[in-house]
């Protein structure tokens, strides 16, 4: 029997006290992004700048604190059963002097005591890794604490994709079973994957065949090699790890008086962005939206989902309306990269690009490229993209249709609120206080669009000094000082730089490059 309270709750997640999980800003959990998705499907969610947000399993606050910083008119509550993580989160909020965020050591099973209503509930990286009763309590809690137009974000390992990864986990769990310390378990888990990869490769080679199994193991091994121990420990070696088909998740949600609203990624809900034949078949075999997404998961072998849910009595509108877009802010979903970029292509997350044919699409992407990393309102975008001769974008109906197409292909993202940021470094540049506070922690930094940005160690060391009190000359002195630190290395296009013998122009160029990087990643504020 479990009693409410911190000590009992902590006992269930000793792992996170022993090996904390460094968090990060997750842009898809941000109320401006969740709210925009809910709005597309006919809801009237609370405005991001004035809402109440609850995060379950908030970890070290790396997601909630930057949100609270960027939305001072909203209120944030984070709960986590790991006392250590809650202390870290509280320290960060205190360091920033934030009064609109609180963290509590509390088990999800006790969340009812928080009282609602909340406009947004976030539960990222928890659902698959907790026992069934916690999952049930989480959904019941969402039903009880969500406001009438409230939206919850729940992420989880998805099937069928996790079936293949689950096989790797089974091997890791089996091989690591006799080891106690988390570090040893991680080491042994990596070792067995390496062995199975090599052994399956040798077997395939000796029989002169190719092996899909070996290819899969090589892929998983490479993935593990790029990940730190804490990830291996919590992602693979937790006692509990359940993956769900979307239809199973939707059924669980429905058992709790809730309904499946949408995926966090608009593009993954559609068939229109798939090859014509695939699209035709999907549309023939899928009787409704949920089935379409489920079949889509089959053909993409999806292994992770970020689902949005709401109360079952909310009336959703599945027909997309261009008028809704007039309330949104738009931004390129991937950086255009340095140097010239072709007019007929949009950068995509993951490094690819989308070829653009329609003049309006080219104009929209061109304007958003100029504005990047900031975004533009519908009216600003309509004005700017419609102005060049011959590119008037047609009617609002046509213009909205083009925006939906770009959204469907992941070329742009939308949100319901525009953050304040500057896109160029002024005379006394200033990195956001939250980025400066988090930089010494060696984690990714939240940018002002609530994306996690990972910089090299030198930039992390530089960021705290970019506090609005130093001009470029003073920042040059900082760079000199940092370069003189033992072991400090700056990676540049012409190779690694360290030591104290650089000429002034070289230092000035380094300062400029660092500031450009911070500006283009949305770290600088006015
Ligand atoms: C993988 S971490 C994810 C943390 C954060 N949401 C993120 O995505 O970075 C899972 C978190 O859930 C917390 N947790 C696990 N079981 C819990 C429970 N029953 N009640 C509250 N928190 C729990 C853990 O302490 C841990 O901080």
């Amino acid at each position: 029997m479990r009693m409410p309270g911190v000590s009992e709750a902590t006992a269930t997640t000793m792992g996170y006290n022993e090996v904390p999980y460094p968090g990060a800003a997750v842009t898809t959990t941000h109320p401006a992004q969740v709210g925009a998705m809910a709005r597309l499907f006919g809801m009237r969610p609370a405005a991001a700048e004035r809402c109440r947000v609850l995060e379950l399993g908030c970890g070290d606050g790396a997601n909630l604190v930057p949100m609270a910083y960027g939305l001072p008119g909203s209120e944030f509550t984070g709960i986590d059963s790991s006392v250590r993580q809650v202390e870290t989160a509280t320290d960060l909020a205190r360091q920033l002097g934030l009064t609109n965020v609180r963290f509590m050591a509390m088990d999800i099973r006790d969340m009812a005591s928080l009282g609602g209503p909340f406009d947004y509930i976030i539960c990222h990286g928890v659902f698959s890794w907790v026992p069934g009763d916690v999952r049930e309590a989480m959904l019941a809690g969402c039903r009880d604490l969500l406001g009438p137009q409230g939206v919850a974000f729940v992420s989880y390992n998805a099937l069928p994709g996790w079936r293949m990864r689950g096989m790797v986990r089974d091997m890791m769990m089996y091989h690591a079973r006799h080891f106690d310390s988390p570090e040893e378990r991680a080491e042994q888990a990596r070792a067995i994957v390496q062995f199975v990869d090599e052994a399956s490769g040798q077997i395939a080679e000796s029989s002169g065949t190719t092996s899909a199994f070996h290819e899969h193991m090589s892929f998983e091994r490479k993935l593990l090699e790029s990940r730190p121990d804490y990830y291996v420990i919590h992602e693979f070696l937790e006692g509990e790890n359940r993956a769900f088909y979307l239809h199973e998740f939707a059924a669980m949600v429905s058992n709790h008086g809730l309904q499946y609203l949408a995926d966090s990624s608009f593009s993954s809900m559609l068939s229109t962005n798939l090859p014509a034949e695939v699209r035709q078949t999907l549309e023939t075999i899928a009787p409704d939206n949920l089935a379409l997404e489920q079949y889509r998961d089959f053909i993409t072998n999806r292994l992770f989902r970020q689902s949005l849910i709401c109360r079952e009595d909310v009336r959703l509108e599945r027909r997309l309306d261009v008028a809704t877009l007039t309330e949104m802010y738009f931004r390129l979903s991937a950086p255009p990269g340095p140097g010239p970029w072709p007019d007929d292509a949009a950068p995509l997350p993951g490094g690819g690009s989308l070829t653009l044919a329609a003049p309006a699409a080219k104009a929209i992407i061109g304007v958003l490229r100029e504005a990047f990393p900031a975004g533009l309102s519908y009216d600003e975008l309509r004005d700017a993209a419609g102005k060049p001769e011959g590119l008037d974008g047609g009617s609002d109906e046509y213009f909205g249709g083009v925006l939906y197409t770009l959204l469907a292909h992941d070329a742009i993202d939308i949100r319901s609120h525009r953050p304040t940021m500057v896109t160029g470094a002024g005379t006394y540049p200033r990195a956001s206080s939250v980025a400066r506070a988090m930089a010494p922690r060696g984690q990714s930094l939240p940018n002002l669009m609530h994306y996690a940005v990972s910089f090299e160690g030198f930039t992390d060391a530089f960021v705290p000094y970019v506090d609005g009190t130093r001009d470029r000359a003073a920042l040059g002195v900082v760079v000199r000082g940092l370069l003189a630190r033992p072991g400090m290395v700056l990676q540049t296009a012409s190779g690694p730089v360290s030591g104290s013998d650089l000429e002034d122009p070289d230092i000035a160029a380094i300062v400029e490059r660092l500031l450009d990087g911070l500006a283009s990643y949305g770290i600088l504020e006015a």
Side-chain angles (χ1 to χ4, degrees):
M1 169 137 160
R2 192 191 64 83
M3 301 289 289
V6 172
S7 52
E8 280 282 329
T10 307
T12 65
T13 53
M14 271 306 287
Y16 289 96
N17 280 326
E18 216 178 325
V19 182
Y21 190 93
V26 181
T27 193
T28 43
T29 67
H30 194 278
Q33 207 151 325
V34 173
M37 284 302 292
R39 188 73 196 95
L40 287 189
F41 296 104
M43 288 184 69
R44 296 241 163 235
E49 52 274 41
R50 201 151 295 281
C51 65
R52 290 190 75 205
V53 180
L54 168 64
E55 182 165 15
L56 308 172
C58 61
D60 63 5
N63 190 39
L64 216 52
V65 168
M67 266 183 211
Y69 175 79
L71 298 170
S74 296
E75 275 175 38
F76 298 82
T77 301
I79 67 164
D80 198 290
S81 55
S82 158
V83 174
R84 182 169 167 192
Q85 303 248 74
V86 166
E87 280 170 2
T88 308
T90 306
D91 284 350
L92 181 61
R94 201 173 290 141
Q95 191 184 341
L96 287 160
L98 296 178
T99 54
N100 62 336
V101 60
R102 61 176 177 156
F103 292 98
M104 297 157 81
M106 181 187 277
D107 194 289
I108 287 165
R109 286 167 288 196
D110 300 326
M111 67 186 274
S113 66
L114 288 168
F118 288 95
D119 302 306
Y120 299 96
I121 298 181
I122 302 164
C123 190
H124 180 53
V126 181
F127 197 76
S128 282
W129 296 269
V130 288
D133 64 325
V134 180
R135 278 194 285 272
E136 295 296 324
M138 185 190 296
L139 294 178
C142 285
R143 172 67 187 84
D144 292 344
L145 299 188
L146 273 181
Q149 291 289 317
V151 187
F153 168 108
V154 182
S155 67
Y156 49 95
N157 283 338
L159 294 173
W162 231 88
R163 190 78 75 206
M164 287 165 79
R165 185 154 292 166
M167 169 186 76
V168 180
R169 171 181 186 264
D170 291 345
M171 297 175 196
M172 294 163 98
M173 290 289 279
Y174 181 78
H175 186 65
R177 73 193 184 288
H178 295 310
F179 296 86
D180 287 333
S181 83
E183 293 75 20
E184 273 179 320
R185 284 169 60 75
E187 191 187 337
Q188 291 303 321
R190 290 180 196 277
I192 187 66
V193 174
Q194 182 178 341
F195 171 67
V196 175
D197 172 32
E198 285 166 4
S200 57
Q202 285 165 17
I203 291 169
E205 201 182 320
S206 67
S207 60
T209 56
T210 55
S211 158
F213 171 64
H214 168 59
E215 275 175 36
H216 177 64
M217 291 307 297
S218 295
F219 175 84
E220 293 292 327
R221 174 185 167 178
K222 279 197 197 91
L223 180 91
L224 285 175
E225 281 171 357
S226 69
R227 298 300 171 99
D229 272 3
Y230 72 80
Y231 174 83
V232 175
I233 291 163
H234 293 304
E235 173 73 13
F236 290 93
L237 301 175
E238 288 284 338
E240 190 69 41
N241 191 327
R242 261 203 73 180
F244 300 89
Y245 284 104
L246 171 63
H247 69 83
E248 291 175 328
F249 178 75
M252 286 174 78
V253 157
S254 148
N255 285 339
H256 286 280
L258 297 159
Q259 63 176 318
Y260 177 70
L261 160 65
D263 191 73
S264 298
S265 150
F266 180 70
S267 63
S268 76
M269 299 176 69
L270 308 173
S271 57
T272 52
N273 47 18
L274 295 169
E277 237 177 86
V278 179
R279 172 185 178 174
Q280 255 171 17
T281 309
L282 274 192
E283 286 170 4
T284 312
I285 59 176
D288 53 36
N289 293 64
L290 188 75
L292 189 129
E293 282 195 61
Q294 182 60 81
Y295 283 119
R296 216 181 179 286
D297 283 6
F298 294 164
I299 60 178
T300 56
N301 197 29
R302 188 159 180 179
L303 48 67
F304 193 64
R305 272 201 157 263
Q306 302 188 333
S307 293
L308 305 181
I309 58 180
C310 63
R311 288 163 58 145
E312 69 182 355
D313 52 9
V314 174
R315 257 181 66 116
L316 297 177
E317 176 53 79
R318 293 291 175 193
R319 266 169 318 164
L320 298 169
D321 180 2
V322 291
T324 319
L325 295 180
T326 60
E327 303 162 24
M328 305 289 175
Y329 294 89
F330 301 84
R331 177 180 178 271
L332 283 191
S333 55
W341 184 270
D343 283 346
D344 63 349
L348 295 179
S353 66
L354 173 72
T355 305
L356 308 168
K362 291 182 196 169
I364 289 168
I365 294 298
V367 169
L368 291 179
R369 219 167 43 219
E370 285 300 309
F372 195 83
L376 297 176
S377 71
Y378 178 88
D379 287 340
E380 289 164 344
L381 186 56
R382 181 90 175 82
D383 278 357
K387 266 182 194 152
E389 212 182 328
L391 300 182
D392 69 2
S395 61
D396 270 329
E397 196 69 24
Y398 175 76
F399 194 77
V402 175
L403 284 173
Y404 269 123
T405 306
L406 292 171
L407 201 54
H409 284 90
D410 247 352
I412 57 175
D413 66 32
I414 52 167
R415 52 193 72 209
S416 60
H417 165 79
R418 174 168 31 202
T420 0
M421 67 168 81
V422 293
T423 52
T427 311
Y428 291 92
R430 200 161 78 96
S432 77
S433 309
V434 67
R436 279 185 280 129
M438 288 178 71
R441 298 179 179 225
Q443 288 167 239
S444 60
L445 300 186
N447 76 3
L448 293 158
M449 303 296 293
H450 205 66
Y451 278 93
V453 187
S454 293
F455 290 107
E456 46 152 1
F458 191 92
T459 306
D460 283 342
F462 177 67
V463 163
Y465 297 95
V466 187
D467 60 359
T469 66
R470 293 178 175 83
D471 61 9
R472 282 165 173 69
L475 289 170
V477 175
V478 168
V479 165
R480 254 191 208 295
L482 291 175
L483 283 172
R485 280 191 198 167
M488 185 65 93
V489 177
L490 170 68
Q491 300 298 336
T492 70
S494 46
V497 175
S498 60
S500 50
D501 51 355
L502 268 89
E503 303 289 336
D504 281 350
D506 296 331
I507 294 285
I510 289 173
V511 169
E512 215 50 58
R513 194 174 66 81
L514 289 168
L515 292 177
D516 276 354
L518 295 181
S520 66
Y521 280 105
I523 301 285
L524 298 184
E525 61 186 7

